[in-house]
Amino acid sequence: MPQRRLVTGRSREPRQRFAEELRQLRARQGHSLRQLGERLGWDWSLFGKMEKGETLGSPEVVQALDQHYGTPGLLLALWELAAGDHTQFRERYRQYMALEAEAVSLWHFAVSVLPGLLQTPGYAREVLAAGGSKGVELEQQVEARMGRRELLEGEDAPPFRTILAEAVLRTPLRSGSEWRAQLEHLADMAERPNVALHVLPFTAGPYGLDGTDVWFLRLLDGRTVAYTENALRGELVEESGLVERLQRVYDAVRDWALSPVESRKFVLRLLEEVPCDPST
């Protein structure tokens, strides 16, 4: 997997830095623009324009590149810097957080990163650092994310169902010991009575949620709202027709996923593949 670089003070011109990163990542793999287009299913000329700084592309394209290059979150973070203002994303996220605290049940689908409710401190720290957070801000964000995990604890914890695309579990942390700790935590959480964990294997083929993470929250008044999210954009969906459409796709994805029992076995098999840390 290519070594990931953090967003640093060298990024004086975000758009140029974004284009430079795209060129260097493709050069490391030795692929032509045409080969890249064939692999990802987009017109290769789009990637050429992105590498020249002529266009930024959409978040969906950038997320696909992050998955292809094994740099989860890095390119999306650079895209955000190049695209400019992201205060609307933060405001929508705050609205979602308020609803999450009141939800009586939660459903979720992850396309590239584990949900915060299931992350260990080590996993959260590396993912947030890859997005550009550092220093005191990074530690504050990690602490806040760990605080969210309390939602699933206690006798009154709401039911939580998550479907993880296999790519989520095939993207290890750079630290083997932290990755082992994360998988162990995931296996433990999968045994909780209020948590249902599914793995969507690669063999399921294309699916309707392959571009974004989705949350569904059932509220006290009986309504269900949805929240779609990637590293840059969050959209709170409250219109019942749109929520129902998303739920239909989610239900289809759940039908293709492994059962909770088989999914936990999948996680345990991954644990066996993680090399033991010789220092422990």
Side-chain angles (χ1 to χ4, degrees):
M1 184 174 74
Q3 183 178 0
R4 287 178 282 174
R5 293 185 293 164
L6 302 183
V7 181
T8 68
R10 295 187 299 105
S11 309
R12 287 176 293 181
E13 172 44 60
R15 196 179 186 103
Q16 292 179 8
R17 168 69 196 280
F18 178 64
E20 174 193 11
E21 193 73 30
L22 292 175
R23 292 194 299 269
Q24 291 184 359
L25 287 170
R26 183 172 59 83
R28 288 187 198 131
Q29 287 199 344
H31 293 155
S32 67
L33 288 169
R34 193 176 297 276
Q35 288 173 322
L36 182 62
E38 291 173 351
R39 286 173 179 268
L40 297 186
W42 271 283
D43 188 335
W44 64 270
S45 64
L46 170 63
F47 297 115
K49 293 177 181 178
M50 292 171 69
E51 291 185 11
K52 292 178 182 177
E54 296 175 1
T55 183
L56 293 176
S58 68
E60 291 76 19
V61 172
V62 179
Q63 189 169 38
L65 287 167
D66 256 336
Q67 293 180 8
H68 176 70
Y69 290 130
T71 56
L74 172 61
L75 293 178
L76 279 168
L78 293 174
W79 185 93
E80 178 181 12
L81 291 173
D85 180 38
H86 54 279
T87 55
Q88 287 189 346
F89 167 70
R90 291 178 177 173
E91 177 58 30
R92 291 174 185 137
Y93 188 65
R94 283 193 291 268
Q95 293 174 11
Y96 163 78
M97 290 294 293
L99 292 173
E100 180 185 81
E102 302 173 359
V104 296
S105 61
L106 304 92
W107 306 277
H108 168 259
F109 173 75
V111 67
S112 61
V113 177
L114 287 171
L117 293 176
L118 298 179
Q119 291 180 12
T120 61
Y123 186 96
R125 185 172 289 104
E126 187 165 325
V127 169
L128 290 167
S133 298
K134 55 186 176 180
V136 174
E137 178 189 8
L138 173 59
E139 295 309 315
Q140 289 175 340
Q141 290 186 8
V142 171
E143 183 178 354
R145 185 159 295 186
M146 293 305 98
R148 288 182 62 199
R149 301 197 308 180
E150 296 178 0
L151 184 69
L152 299 182
E153 299 175 357
E155 295 182 359
D156 297 329
F160 174 53
R161 182 183 302 276
T162 183
I163 305 173
L164 308 177
E166 184 173 342
V168 176
L169 299 173
R170 295 293 183 184
T171 307
L173 299 176
R174 285 173 288 185
S175 168
S177 61
E178 292 288 4
W179 182 233
R180 172 176 289 277
Q182 175 62 76
L183 291 177
E184 289 174 345
H185 178 67
L186 202 59
D188 289 343
M189 292 296 294
E191 288 194 302
R192 291 195 177 189
N194 65 312
V195 175
L197 186 147
H198 301 265
V199 174
L200 181 69
F202 288 135
T203 53
Y207 53 93
L209 296 176
D210 53 357
T212 194
D213 282 15
V214 180
W215 289 85
F216 296 97
L217 309 178
R218 188 161 67 87
L219 306 177
L220 282 169
D221 60 7
R223 290 186 304 135
T224 297
V225 299
Y227 185 78
T228 61
E229 178 186 37
N230 56 39
L232 305 175
R233 293 289 184 270
E235 188 68 33
L236 187 62
V237 183
E238 299 183 82
E239 200 277 309
S240 59
L242 295 177
V243 173
E244 183 178 355
R245 285 171 55 187
L246 283 170
Q247 282 187 304
R248 288 176 182 172
V249 179
Y250 182 88
D251 289 343
V253 171
R254 186 176 61 184
D255 290 342
W256 297 325
L258 302 178
S259 70
V261 171
E262 291 302 317
S263 295
R264 186 172 186 274
K265 291 179 180 178
F266 186 98
V267 174
L268 293 175
R269 286 195 297 270
L270 288 180
L271 251 175
E272 294 175 356
E273 299 173 8
V274 180
C276 293
D277 189 341
S279 63
T280 60

